[in-house]
Amino acid sequence: MFNWMKSKKSLGRFVWNLLVWFIVATALLIMLFSYLSTKNMLTTRNESSQKGAVNTLVASNNDLHTSINQELESLASSSVFTKTNYNSKDVRYALKMAKKGNVAMKQIEFGSTNGEMITFVKLPSGFDPRERPWYKGAIQKDGEVFWTSPYKDAGTGKMLTTAAIAVKNNQGKIVGVLGIDLSYSGVQKTISGLNIGRTGSVTLVSKNGTIIASQGKSEKYTFNSGKSITKNIVFKALKAAKQKQGTLKVKNSDTAQIVYNKKGNEWSFSVVDQNDLQTELHTLLMISIVTMLVLIIIVSFYALYASKFIKETVSIYIQHFEAASKGKLTKISYSSENKNFFRIIFHPKELGHRFSKPDENGHEFNQISFHYNRMVDAVGRVIDSVQKESVTVADKSESLLSLSQQTSKATEEVAQAITGVAEVTTSQAQETSDSVGQLETLTTIIDNLGIKIENMMKHSQNSGKMNQENLTLSNHVANNWEDELAKTKELGESIKDLNKQVQNVNKIVSVISGITQQTNLLALNASIEAASAGEAGKGFAVVATEIRKLSDQSKTSTKEISDILGKIRNDADEIANKMNDSIEGGEKQTKLIEQAITSSKNVFDVNQELIFGIKEVEEASQKIEKIQHKVQTSLENIAASTEENSAGTEEVSANSEEVQASMEEFTNHVAQLQASSTTLKKVIEKFDFKK
């Protein structure tokens, strides 16, 4: 959808998918809850309006019956009829006055027991009121009002009914029947103002299925007066209902539900079409779909912004970590001339730099930057110390290598000289047995031997001093190296402490994640309660939605912080591993230095033995010089002395060779130490710490 989602693996695509699917799921849930709650509300509204319409119709019809009953009873008990013999003229006048007072009366009449009929319309010839149903019904009721079934007026086509009561004189004898023809126009007028849903209607019908009054918007269930609906499925269900009033549903019909009241001879019922709710529900569905699309668009732009902001923030840490991996340790800093926060919001890069500003008391990103800078300070101090000490180690190792080379060279010269002495001594022993005449040559050789012994003595003394200095320097190097090894171990402990701090931050992040989940649940419950509250809960629903958005943002931010902390922990573990390797290498170097010190001590001891041997040779030479005057008198003593001198020189020669081998081994060890110090110096020089 967006190019920024396809370029690299990024949190942007995840954030976009998460937010969009969350909004879609939330919108679908809201649509479902709104649909169900609206449907229930509209159903309840329709049921209430149906009940209200039925109750209004029943009340209007009952009022009509009550008023006519009272009118008939009042007329029947008036003095006009209670006389022993009624006066026709007085009766007509009383009927005329009664008709004027009640507009519901279509006609009023009095039929006497002798067949006389007093009314205000022309009657057909031979008309006998005593044959009419209303007359017979009133006689049977004997003083109570009798109501005929509703019927259609032949002249007007409107529905009428007749209420009649038997009239008695003062002697209790029935003298006739008083009747009133009534119109249902008042009832029709009453229900004409009723609204039952969008497609509902209310109907008054006689129990024999004749429509008395009907009003509404239902095309199928709004009937004309006088129509018979005995075959209608609604009337059949109404007639089959066992209860006198209530609500019922008819299968295989176009009605949603029927509210009815069938007390008395006139039944009332209200019907709503099956598709009555479709318009409102369709409108609600369209509004919900449009709202969801708008939310998806808004969330898409928000996800784009959030992705850029996160990318810019994380890139700062990535740059510093990449530089650290190359040995350049730089602190995270922030400086900006833009102080307007609202302007910064529209620049994700600037906002990312601001969020990565080091602050111990700031938010999680600020704290990460602060602790990263503290780590850089700690590591920088250690590296700076190691750099200084590595220079010292390199210098001392070079000096030690030079001294060992010089000592090896001097030892080689001593070995060569002793070899020469052994050869000369052997030749002297052979010549002594041949001729005394070679005594002068022996004297010369002894003089040369004395000179060489003096030189050997000087060289041996110098070698002893140099070996002593070499031993002192080796001890100093060993002590410095142990100090550096201890500092490296302290650095390892600091990195472990950093890991513990990161783990503590992880615990805090876990607590924040738990709070985010609880906030999300509370917001969802608030949305449900707001949806249940209908119009009154819309404002609260918006607040709940915003809380849920903030909860989702907190959840996303917590997840990103956990990932960053994990990366920091991995990097710290990697540094710790490297430090452990360095410590192990340092311990190996310590062993090599100890071996070098031991070799130097051995060389020193051998050198002391060499000096002691040279002194013995010098003493022997002095003895030879003293007895050279006695050679002429005793060649055997000279030969014996020569053999003893030859044996001593051979032993010294062997010792010299051993010293030379030890010096070669010592030189190799010093060369290895110098190479190790050079490597350590190069490694440390890679770190560039900026304070």
Side-chain angles (χ1 to χ4, degrees), residues 22 26 30 295 519-531 534-553:
F22 175 77
T26 303
I30 293 174
L295 285 175
T519 303
N520 199 1
L521 290 175
L522 290 174
L524 180 59
N525 291 332
S527 298
I528 294 172
E529 293 297 330
E535 291 291 334
K538 282 187 176 179
F540 189 66
V542 174
V543 176
T545 302
E546 294 299 323
I547 293 174
R548 189 161 59 252
K549 289 181 180 178
L550 292 175
S551 175
D552 292 337
Q553 293 174 6

Side-chain angles (χ1 to χ4, degrees), residues 81 134 217 246 273 510 577:
F81 296 102
W134 56 271
K217 298 178 182 179
D273 289 351
S510 298
N577 293 331

Side-chain angles (χ1 to χ4, degrees), residues 291-337:
T291 303
M292 183 174 66
L293 293 176
V294 172
L295 285 175
I296 290 175
I297 294 173
I298 293 174
V299 167
S300 297
F301 284 104
Y302 172 76
L304 173 62
Y305 177 83
S307 174
K308 289 185 178 180
F309 157 67
I310 294 171
K311 184 177 180 181
E312 294 297 338
T313 303
V314 174
S315 66
I316 296 172
Y317 295 102
I318 293 175
Q319 291 174 3
H320 284 80
F321 283 126
E322 288 179 349
S325 67
K326 297 177 181 178
K328 295 181 179 180
L329 300 176
T330 58
K331 293 183 180 179
I332 299 174
S333 60
Y334 170 78
S335 61
S336 175
E337 298 179 357

Side-chain angles (χ1 to χ4, degrees), residues 332-490:
I332 299 174
S333 60
Y334 170 78
S335 61
S336 175
E337 298 179 357
N338 193 351
K339 304 298 183 180
N340 191 329
F341 181 74
F342 292 99
R343 291 183 179 178
I344 294 176
I345 289 177
F346 294 100
H347 296 81
K349 185 174 183 179
E350 181 70 18
L351 186 61
H353 281 279
R354 183 164 184 169
F355 263 70
S356 62
K357 177 183 177 181
D359 187 358
E360 184 178 10
N361 299 319
H363 52 71
E364 287 78 4
F365 283 111
N366 297 144
Q367 294 177 11
I368 291 173
S369 299
F370 176 79
H371 289 290
Y372 174 82
N373 288 349
R374 289 186 63 181
M375 182 190 72
V376 169
D377 287 335
V379 174
R381 288 192 295 270
V382 173
I383 292 174
D384 186 55
S385 177
V386 172
Q387 285 178 339
K388 293 179 181 178
E389 295 300 330
S390 65
V391 172
T392 301
V393 171
D395 293 340
K396 297 298 181 181
S397 62
E398 289 178 359
S399 177
L400 185 61
L401 179 62
S402 177
L403 290 174
S404 64
Q405 289 175 349
Q406 292 176 5
T407 302
S408 178
K409 185 176 180 180
T411 304
E412 183 178 359
E413 291 177 356
V414 170
Q416 291 176 356
I418 291 175
T419 301
V421 170
E423 291 176 354
V424 170
T425 302
T426 301
S427 177
Q428 182 183 3
Q430 292 175 355
E431 291 175 357
T432 300
S433 60
D434 296 333
S435 176
V436 178
Q438 296 179 352
L439 181 61
E440 292 179 358
T441 303
L442 176 62
T443 303
T444 303
I445 291 172
I446 291 173
D447 292 336
N448 293 332
L449 178 62
I451 295 171
K452 290 182 178 180
I453 289 174
E454 288 179 358
N455 291 332
M456 287 175 60
M457 190 70 178
K458 292 179 181 179
H459 287 304
S460 296
Q461 290 176 351
N462 291 332
S463 176
K465 291 180 181 179
M466 292 174 68
N467 283 332
Q468 183 64 40
E469 291 177 357
N470 187 14
L471 186 61
T472 302
L473 289 175
S474 296
N475 289 328
H476 182 66
V477 170
N479 293 332
N480 288 339
W481 185 255
E482 288 178 357
D483 292 338
E484 291 302 318
L485 189 61
K487 291 178 181 180
T488 303
K489 290 181 178 179
E490 291 178 357

